[in-house]
Amino acid sequence: MSEIKSWTTHRDAKQQKLENAASLLDGKFAKTKDAKELLELLISSNDKVVLEGDNQKQASFLSKVLASVDPEKVHGLHMIMSSISRPEHLDIFDLGIANKMDFSFAGPQSTRVSQMVADGTMQVGDIHTYLELYARLFVDLIPNVVLVAADKVDREGNLYTGNNTEETPVIVESAAFKDGIVIVQANEIVDKVPRVDIPSDWVDVVIPADEPYQLEPLFTRDPQNITELQILMGMMAIRGIYEKHNVQSVNHGVGFNTAAIELLLPTYGEQLGLKGKIVPNWEVNPTPTLIPAIESGWIKSIHSFGGEVGMEKYIAARPDIFFVGKDGSMRSNRAYGQMAGQYALDMFVGSTLQIDKYGNSSTVTNGRLSGFGGAPNMGSNPTGRRHSTPAWQSLRPDNDPLGKGQKLVVQMVETFGSNKKPVFVDHLDAEEVRKEAKLKNVPIMIYSEDTTHIVTEEGIAYLYKTDSMAERQAAIEAIAGVTPVGLRSDAKTLADLRARGIVALPEDLGVSRGQAKRSLLAAQTMDDLVEWSNGLYNPPAKFRSWS
Amino acid sequence: MSEIKSWTTHRDAKQQKLENAASLLDGKFAKTKDAKELLELLISSNDKVVLEGDNQKQASFLSKVLASVDPEKVHGLHMIMSSISRPEHLDIFDLGIANKMDFSFAGPQSTRVSQMVADGTMQVGDIHTYLELYARLFVDLIPNVVLVAADKVDREGNLYTGNNTEETPVIVESAAFKDGIVIVQANEIVDKVPRVDIPSDWVDVVIPADEPYQLEPLFTRDPQNITELQILMGMMAIRGIYEKHNVQSVNHGVGFNTAAIELLLPTYGEQLGLKGKIVPNWEVNPTPTLIPAIESGWIKSIHSFGGEVGMEKYIAARPDIFFVGKDGSMRSNRAYGQMAGQYALDMFVGSTLQIDKYGNSSTVTNGRLSGFGGAPNMGSNPTGRRHSTPAWQSLRPDNDPLGKGQKLVVQMVETFGSNKKPVFVDHLDAEEVRKEAKLKNVPIMIYSEDTTHIVTEEGIAYLYKTDSMAERQAAIEAIAGVTPVGLRSDAKTLADLRARGIVALPEDLGVSRGQAKRSLLAAQTMDDLVEWSNGLYNPPAKFRSWS
């Protein structure tokens, strides 16, 4: 019945490309010096290309090579990248090698991204959370070529990605089974890999890199920079949220607020008798500030999106806690981690740059298109969730027989940011950015409807208890300090909100402001963390004040 | 600072178990006849055990062996299973080998599950969607032992899972990197696997099965059973939803309603000039009723949760459409498929057994605790989604500057079910089931708030356009026919709802009832499907009327 047509056009195109490159390949292996020529043969103009740019790990050799190809030969690429991190990620747009981008996060390059969008150098497909972007690799962003990074590759082409496995498996799977070309940069070619993270069957081309891939210690927070205000907020959160809701599983954002909580568990948490009662299970990167809580027996399990520089030996020595392979190194996995972060946790705790009077928050500020990363995925209430936990269920509305629980989504902010600007505003800068960048929707990180608690140095607003938007606004005003939003609060309303448990001040929670001292932290310096780890944690040089 | 303790208790326990079983193992390999003794040595009482029970593929040899172990030696297991499908999945509870269950779906065994919960034989941890259950394997349901099924295993222990890879990778990863024991039943031991789906590094024990694993053709729908009412509803859906919202990516449920749509695309859809304009990208099992749409050039890509018996050769010959490995067989992946189904699609279209007056729906009926499967995950609006598509954006509210789009979640039902009972009811049976089974929440499959459209033989209710619960109820009543709920509708309200585009009847959509004939289906029999496939589709015996 059907007309005669080819059903193998992708396979044939791949085969043709590999044949064109055959003289540069010895089996799957190529020479470092041939990388540019190879990419010119294996990537066609207008291809969809995934360039691995994890939060931490960067396919930095391949991104440099991609920026060196001849735009006459390769142009108009549609790039798909979870993280825009390196200058050449954007150079390829200036050079005309690429013209369209679908991405998740652009932290370090967010200003330049904004400019490129404004001047039309870069067409943005869309901005995603990590998990959405991975999901689309199997639906409507199926790649023609993927460029990824491995630690070690054996003679057959099996990949070892070790601690920084991160997003490599999900990217490779999307190409390997849809006749895409999988190109790997390798730090090292070895006879035998410590373990196989990705089978050689899934790999087409391996190129030894000229230097090891870039790897950043993104989630290391020096305890020395934690302020007493942050300690006060941490104490409030532990009493007023972790304890109150009986939270068992959690993701922490990457700020000093949550680092403070991690360092308060073994001291303040212990005083409260909470050890063994709260937060045994974590989905989080292996941040060094977790070490004292782990060593004190607070934590049963940690699954991680990615690795963290300096934590390798410590993780290897704690396989009861971390996900560790038979070879002794961690297996991280950003796709499964985001899946767990969305669907399996009681609580997400994050921070932000602006919160509007309704409770919407964003890290997008004027002139910076920073993207979303993973926060909106973890900091949202997945309405498909059907299993229940005590914490989730504690947010169930009383008055609805068909009601269900909700994920705790907590924002912790000081009322004024480090730039002395108010965090609480009437309108988010994101509303302006939407217009400038011609985005379909305002780039809100976490919507008011998903936000269940806000913690400031003033107190906690239990937003999930509010019955109306007016009441929600009043609760936010009550903890917004002397920001313009906060100044609208009055004593009578505050008293009423406190009486009804919608707002709690430190004294309502039994938290003593006087106790909020740096001496309450289980570790006050990087050196303390090293000591807690019995010397197993090895901080990167920039975090070392000693030699 | 920390007290001296072991950080390798899981690793030590695993090592001890494997040492106890050493005499039964030759490397990773065991003999079929030793399976019972092996499980008694490798599984400890009270262990958390994942037993692979996909929708289609069942680790049936290992489940039989597990039901044969001595309950004196192994008891009190906490089972984690995506699908309760086989009698021995429940026998192990009668025998005391297991006492707790976390699961997703219990279709074939739902009556017995209900009884076991009522009489206390089975304690239910919770009921999940597939994706939630996988997510918890990395957080608070980390398994001690996993029992999975492979097609072929090579001498090193590399696994080939082929078309039915399904949930095996995510289960294995959760155990392999947390010192759990990975036990695999193999249909066949071979010198070289066609491809490596799971590396041998991740596998501890391989047991040749006494017979190939059970595999059911769960998603095959014989076109002969599609009614003209279903054809009418399919025509309305194509005009009033697919075309109207410009839907590009979709998941179809497994009923005859969606099979009708699949078979209408190459005929009715073609007449409407929609070819090349709608639904190029699918996340769906490879259902045979998709063959005519594929052959007619409607479909660009299909990613699948699992395989479908009889479709193997057809899939192998269509690698432009399906995800196929270098060996020529499909790679399915239920975890990534559910991830895509939740986050990357414009639309989910499903069916259900009951819809209440508010629009909540459930397949749980009295005496049957059938669980959730994947539908609530795909049939929900993930509030963490930040990327936009025209279909998603078409549901954006007009009156909210901070608003965003929404996933289309469509329920297609005839107003009376095949049992002649009304589908539209004031109260779901699920409310009673909640009490009987002592569930925390009413087991609702898809909540009203997530349901954007309902299609019946009467018309379409565009629920996303309603402003209040009262209006939503009126829209549902207007298409609920002569059910008790539908009888509350009146002509004036219907006229008003039609005028405002909240309800559309066939004539409003330009759909002619007279055209809704079986002859409009691109294939009317299984034989037609085989012919469309050029003989590549090979229906299972029970679907063959010819020899």
Side-chain angles (χ1 to χ4, degrees):
Chain A
M1 289 185 188
S2 62
E3 58 199 273
I4 290 164
K5 59 164 280 188
S6 167
W7 297 96
T8 57
T9 59
H10 299 163
R11 183 180 294 171
D12 297 344
K14 174 175 177 173
Q15 197 52 43
Q16 187 60 57
K17 285 179 180 179
L18 287 169
E19 276 170 29
N20 295 346
S23 67
L24 301 176
L25 289 172
D26 176 9
K28 297 177 194 285
F29 290 84
K31 293 199 173 66
T32 309
K33 70 175 177 55
D34 294 331
K36 169 179 170 288
E37 194 181 345
L38 207 54
L39 292 199
E40 288 172 346
L41 292 167
L42 296 177
I43 305 179
S44 299
S45 292
N46 306 313
D47 271 357
K48 288 193 182 72
V49 177
V50 180
L51 172 57
E52 182 167 21
D54 290 9
N55 251 334
Q56 292 115 311
K57 178 172 71 167
Q58 304 292 331
S60 44
F61 168 68
L62 289 174
S63 64
K64 282 187 297 181
V65 174
L66 184 63
S68 76
V69 302
D70 182 350
E72 295 276 318
K73 295 180 181 163
V74 181
H75 50 260
L77 299 183
H78 179 166
M79 302 303 298
I80 304 165
M81 301 183 57
S82 74
S83 179
I84 306 174
S85 306
R86 294 171 55 87
E88 66 266 21
H89 293 168
L90 297 177
D91 294 345
I92 56 175
F93 287 83
D94 278 333
L95 294 166
I97 297 165
N99 65 15
K100 186 169 180 184
M101 174 72 95
D102 274 280
F103 74 105
S104 289
F105 183 66
Q109 301 293 341
S110 55
T111 308
R112 198 166 154 213
V113 169
S114 278
Q115 290 161 354
M116 284 189 151
V117 172
D119 67 21
T121 311
M122 179 192 290
Q123 181 195 348
V124 172
D126 221 322
I127 315 176
H128 310 70
T129 66
Y130 294 127
L131 199 62
E132 284 168 76
L133 194 68
Y134 303 147
R136 291 187 71 186
L137 296 179
F138 298 91
V139 179
D140 57 353
L141 289 178
I142 301 171
N144 303 99
V145 179
V146 300
L147 306 171
V148 301
D151 288 57
K152 299 186 200 317
V153 182
D154 72 15
R155 307 287 167 188
E156 287 181 37
N158 291 297
L159 309 188
Y160 170 71
T161 44
N163 284 284
N164 292 88
T165 299
E166 310 202 349
E167 67 184 24
T168 319
V170 70
I171 292 176
V172 170
E173 181 156 345
S174 73
F177 296 97
K178 203 66 175 58
D179 290 318
I181 298 182
V182 176
I183 303 175
V184 182
Q185 70 166 72
N187 288 357
E188 201 181 342
I189 312 293
V190 297
D191 286 327
K192 190 168 166 42
V193 288
R195 71 173 189 240
V196 177
D197 283 297
I198 294 173
S200 64
D201 269 0
W202 307 15
V203 171
D204 297 300
V205 173
V206 178
I207 314 177
D210 57 355
E211 58 181 353
Y213 58 68
Q214 184 197 350
L215 185 63
E216 291 297 319
L218 273 192
F219 300 110
T220 296
R221 295 288 171 267
D222 186 339
Q224 207 148 319
N225 299 324
I226 296 173
T227 66
E228 297 192 337
L229 225 46
Q230 288 162 342
I231 293 167
L232 174 67
M233 288 163 59
M235 294 165 70
M236 284 194 277
I238 289 172
R239 284 235 71 168
I241 301 175
Y242 291 61
E243 179 182 9
K244 173 186 166 73
H245 293 288
N246 189 15
V247 174
Q248 300 295 300
S249 51
V250 67
N251 168 256
H252 273 184
V254 296
F256 286 100
N257 291 323
T258 46
I261 292 174
E262 291 156 16
L263 294 172
L264 286 170
L265 290 175
T267 55
Y268 184 65
E270 182 89 31
Q271 288 170 22
L272 297 174
L274 296 176
K275 185 171 158 182
K277 296 186 181 160
I278 60 167
V279 288
N281 304 122
W282 296 61
E283 174 66 50
V284 69
N285 279 301
T287 55
T289 41
L290 284 164
I291 294 171
I294 294 169
E295 294 298 307
S296 312
W298 275 75
I299 296 179
K300 274 194 191 164
S301 73
I302 297 176
H303 183 266
S304 297
F305 313 101
E308 186 67 8
V309 178
M311 287 288 281
E312 298 81 0
K313 274 190 195 166
Y314 179 73
I315 291 167
R318 300 290 180 268
D320 273 2
I321 308 298
F322 295 97
F323 280 71
V324 172
K326 288 174 189 166
D327 62 305
S329 74
M330 187 171 70
R331 167 97 170 178
S332 57
N333 188 317
R334 197 176 307 283
Y336 288 162
Q338 289 283 328
M339 177 179 90
Q342 182 198 32
Y343 248 146
L345 299 185
D346 283 343
M347 180 166 75
F348 163 81
V349 185
S351 195
T352 190
L353 296 180
Q354 288 188 327
I355 300 180
D356 76 9
K357 57 188 171 186
Y358 308 113
N360 300 297
S361 55
S362 185
T363 55
V364 170
T365 52
N366 285 334
R368 291 166 50 94
L369 201 53
S370 54
F372 295 118
N377 174 57
M378 289 179 283
S380 64
N381 181 46
T383 62
R385 175 167 164 172
R386 293 295 178 269
H387 78 275
S388 179
T389 57
W392 189 80
Q393 197 68 356
S394 71
L395 271 61
R396 187 181 193 280
D398 295 329
N399 53 358
D400 180 359
L402 299 180
K404 56 181 164 138
Q406 185 174 354
K407 190 198 280 179
L408 281 79
V409 174
V410 180
Q411 291 279 25
M412 290 183 73
V413 292
E414 293 171 56
T415 54
F416 283 80
S418 52
N419 55 5
K420 309 292 179 204
K421 287 189 181 166
V423 167
F424 291 90
V425 295
D426 280 314
H427 293 283
L428 299 172
D429 286 357
E431 297 186 45
E432 274 309 304
V433 172
R434 177 200 182 183
K435 287 176 203 158
E436 286 160 17
K438 299 183 178 59
L439 302 175
K440 301 230 171 42
N441 297 305
V442 177
I444 288 173
M445 185 70 89
I446 301 189
Y447 282 82
S448 173
E449 69 208 58
D450 287 326
T451 308
T452 61
H453 302 72
I454 300 176
V455 183
T456 71
E457 74 275 16
E458 300 287 331
I460 300 177
Y462 295 90
L463 298 185
Y464 72 94
K465 289 186 174 183
T466 59
D467 283 334
S468 65
M469 187 48 85
E471 191 169 81
R472 180 168 282 246
Q473 287 184 243
I476 292 169
E477 288 164 9
I479 56 151
V482 296
T483 63
V485 170
L487 289 171
R488 292 202 285 263
S489 189
D490 64 74
K492 184 164 168 298
T493 308
L494 175 61
D496 175 58
L497 290 168
R498 287 173 69 188
R500 293 161 58 213
I502 293 173
V503 166
L505 305 189
E507 46 268 41
D508 302 328
L509 301 167
V511 168
S512 152
R513 287 172 197 269
Q515 205 191 343
K517 298 291 176 201
R518 280 190 40 85
S519 56
L520 195 59
L521 296 176
Q524 294 165 47
T525 63
M526 295 298 283
D527 199 16
D528 286 352
L529 292 175
V530 175
E531 201 176 319
W532 269 103
S533 78
N534 296 305
L536 292 165
Y537 172 45
N538 179 29
K542 67 176 172 179
F543 289 102
R544 303 183 83 113
S545 54
W546 65 101
S547 59
Chain B
M1 288 184 186
S2 63
E3 57 199 273
I4 292 165
K5 59 164 281 190
S6 167
W7 297 96
T8 57
T9 60
H10 300 162
R11 181 179 294 172
D12 298 344
K14 173 175 179 171
Q15 198 50 44
Q16 186 61 56
K17 285 178 178 179
L18 287 169
E19 275 170 28
N20 295 345
S23 67
L24 301 176
L25 291 173
D26 176 12
K28 295 176 195 287
F29 290 84
K31 293 198 173 66
T32 309
K33 71 174 176 59
D34 294 331
K36 169 178 169 290
E37 195 182 344
L38 207 54
L39 292 198
E40 288 172 347
L41 292 166
L42 296 177
I43 305 178
S44 300
S45 293
N46 307 313
D47 270 357
K48 287 193 184 72
V49 178
V50 179
L51 173 56
E52 183 169 21
D54 289 10
N55 252 334
Q56 293 114 310
K57 179 173 72 165
Q58 303 292 330
S60 45
F61 168 68
L62 289 173
S63 65
K64 285 187 297 181
V65 174
L66 184 62
S68 76
V69 303
D70 182 350
E72 295 276 318
K73 293 180 182 163
V74 181
H75 50 260
L77 298 183
H78 179 169
M79 301 303 298
I80 304 164
M81 300 182 58
S82 74
S83 178
I84 306 174
S85 307
R86 294 171 55 85
E88 67 265 21
H89 292 169
L90 297 176
D91 294 345
I92 57 175
F93 287 84
D94 278 334
L95 294 165
I97 296 164
N99 65 16
K100 187 169 180 182
M101 175 72 93
D102 274 279
F103 74 106
S104 288
F105 183 64
Q109 301 292 341
S110 56
T111 308
R112 197 166 154 214
V113 168
S114 279
Q115 290 161 353
M116 283 188 152
V117 171
D119 68 20
T121 311
M122 178 192 289
Q123 183 196 345
V124 172
D126 222 319
I127 314 176
H128 310 70
T129 67
Y130 294 127
L131 200 61
E132 287 167 74
L133 195 68
Y134 303 147
R136 291 186 70 188
L137 296 178
F138 298 92
V139 179
D140 58 353
L141 289 178
I142 300 170
N144 303 99
V145 179
V146 300
L147 306 171
V148 301
D151 288 56
K152 300 185 195 329
V153 182
D154 72 16
R155 310 285 167 188
E156 287 180 39
N158 291 298
L159 309 188
Y160 169 71
T161 45
N163 283 284
N164 292 89
T165 299
E166 310 203 349
E167 67 184 25
T168 319
V170 68
I171 293 175
V172 170
E173 180 156 345
S174 73
F177 295 97
K178 202 64 174 59
D179 289 316
I181 298 182
V182 176
I183 303 175
V184 182
Q185 70 167 69
N187 289 356
E188 203 182 340
I189 311 293
V190 297
D191 286 328
K192 189 166 164 48
V193 288
R195 72 173 187 239
V196 177
D197 283 297
I198 295 172
S200 64
D201 269 359
W202 307 14
V203 172
D204 296 300
V205 173
V206 178
I207 315 178
D210 58 355
E211 58 181 354
Y213 57 67
Q214 183 196 350
L215 186 64
E216 291 296 320
L218 273 191
F219 300 110
T220 296
R221 296 287 171 266
D222 186 339
Q224 206 147 321
N225 298 323
I226 295 174
T227 68
E228 298 192 336
L229 226 45
Q230 286 161 343
I231 293 167
L232 175 66
M233 288 163 58
M235 294 165 70
M236 285 195 277
I238 289 171
R239 284 234 71 165
I241 301 175
Y242 291 61
E243 179 183 8
K244 175 186 166 74
H245 293 288
N246 190 13
V247 173
Q248 299 296 301
S249 53
V250 67
N251 168 255
H252 274 184
V254 295
F256 287 99
N257 292 322
T258 46
I261 293 174
E262 291 156 17
L263 294 172
L264 287 169
L265 290 176
T267 55
Y268 184 66
E270 182 88 33
Q271 288 170 23
L272 296 174
L274 296 176
K275 184 171 158 182
K277 296 187 181 159
I278 60 167
V279 288
N281 305 121
W282 296 61
E283 174 65 50
V284 70
N285 279 298
T287 55
T289 42
L290 285 164
I291 293 171
I294 294 169
E295 294 300 306
S296 312
W298 277 75
I299 295 180
K300 276 196 191 160
S301 73
I302 297 177
H303 184 263
S304 298
F305 314 102
E308 186 67 6
V309 177
M311 286 288 281
E312 298 81 0
K313 274 189 197 167
Y314 179 74
I315 292 167
R318 299 291 179 268
D320 273 2
I321 309 297
F322 295 97
F323 280 70
V324 172
K326 288 175 192 167
D327 62 305
S329 74
M330 188 171 70
R331 167 95 171 180
S332 58
N333 189 319
R334 197 176 305 286
Y336 288 162
Q338 289 283 325
M339 179 179 89
Q342 184 199 30
Y343 249 145
L345 299 185
D346 283 343
M347 180 167 72
F348 163 81
V349 185
S351 193
T352 190
L353 297 180
Q354 288 189 328
I355 300 180
D356 76 9
K357 57 188 173 187
Y358 308 113
N360 300 297
S361 57
S362 184
T363 56
V364 170
T365 52
N366 284 333
R368 289 166 52 96
L369 202 53
S370 53
F372 295 118
N377 173 58
M378 288 178 283
S380 64
N381 182 45
T383 62
R385 175 165 163 171
R386 293 294 178 270
H387 78 275
S388 180
T389 56
W392 189 80
Q393 196 71 353
S394 71
L395 270 62
R396 187 181 193 280
D398 296 328
N399 54 0
D400 181 0
L402 299 180
K404 58 180 163 144
Q406 185 174 354
K407 190 198 281 179
L408 280 77
V409 175
V410 180
Q411 291 280 22
M412 289 184 75
V413 292
E414 293 171 55
T415 54
F416 283 79
S418 52
N419 56 7
K420 310 294 180 202
K421 287 188 182 165
V423 166
F424 292 90
V425 296
D426 280 313
H427 293 283
L428 300 171
D429 286 359
E431 297 187 44
E432 274 309 303
V433 172
R434 177 202 183 181
K435 287 176 202 156
E436 286 160 16
K438 298 184 180 61
L439 302 175
K440 301 230 172 44
N441 297 304
V442 177
I444 289 173
M445 184 70 88
I446 301 189
Y447 283 83
S448 173
E449 70 208 57
D450 287 327
T451 307
T452 60
H453 302 72
I454 301 177
V455 182
T456 71
E457 72 278 14
E458 301 288 331
I460 300 178
Y462 295 89
L463 299 184
Y464 72 93
K465 291 186 173 182
T466 59
D467 281 334
S468 65
M469 186 49 81
E471 192 169 80
R472 180 168 282 246
Q473 287 185 241
I476 293 168
E477 288 165 6
I479 56 151
V482 295
T483 64
V485 170
L487 290 172
R488 291 202 286 263
S489 187
D490 62 75
K492 185 164 169 296
T493 308
L494 175 61
D496 175 59
L497 291 169
R498 286 173 69 188
R500 292 162 59 213
I502 295 174
V503 166
L505 305 190
E507 48 269 42
D508 301 328
L509 300 167
V511 170
S512 152
R513 286 172 199 268
Q515 204 190 344
K517 297 293 176 201
R518 280 188 42 83
S519 55
L520 194 58
L521 295 176
Q524 293 164 48
T525 63
M526 295 298 284
D527 200 16
D528 287 351
L529 293 175
V530 175
E531 202 176 320
W532 269 104
S533 78
N534 296 306
L536 293 165
Y537 172 45
N538 178 30
K542 66 176 173 180
F543 289 101
R544 303 182 83 112
S545 55
W546 64 100
S547 57

